[in-house]
Amino acid sequence: MTEQKTSFEAAMQELEEIVVEMEKGDIPLEDSLKKFERGIQLARQSQQQLKAAEQKVQILMQSNGTETLADFESDEL
């Protein structure tokens, strides 16, 4: 399987679909392994995209004179 770049949103959607399908448990082992491999690929790609986005935010904040990033605090739990 060749590595193809997809948008972050598309990767997350495909990953969610893989998880749902695998949770059903009614696919052959070989297909499950292929889906698992694709899921790992999507997760790694998404992680790289998030890291790149974080670096861009840091660069933009530094250029605006704000050199520190504050952790996001969510009231939702």
Side-chain angles (χ1 to χ4, degrees), residues 18-33:
I18 289 171
V19 169
V20 168
E21 190 172 355
M22 289 184 71
E23 283 180 341
K24 291 179 183 176
D26 57 355
I27 56 177
L29 178 61
E30 187 174 320
D31 290 343
S32 291
L33 289 172

Side-chain angles (χ1 to χ4, degrees), residues 31-64:
D31 290 343
S32 291
L33 289 172
K34 287 179 183 177
K35 289 187 181 297
F36 180 77
E37 182 179 4
R38 178 65 178 153
I40 294 295
Q41 181 185 46
L42 290 167
R44 287 181 180 154
Q45 176 186 324
S46 298
Q47 185 177 24
Q48 289 172 347
Q49 288 173 324
L50 285 174
K51 188 174 184 175
E54 182 179 279
Q55 289 172 343
K56 286 180 184 179
V57 168
Q58 287 178 331
I59 290 168
L60 290 171
M61 291 184 75
Q62 287 174 353
S63 68
N64 287 334

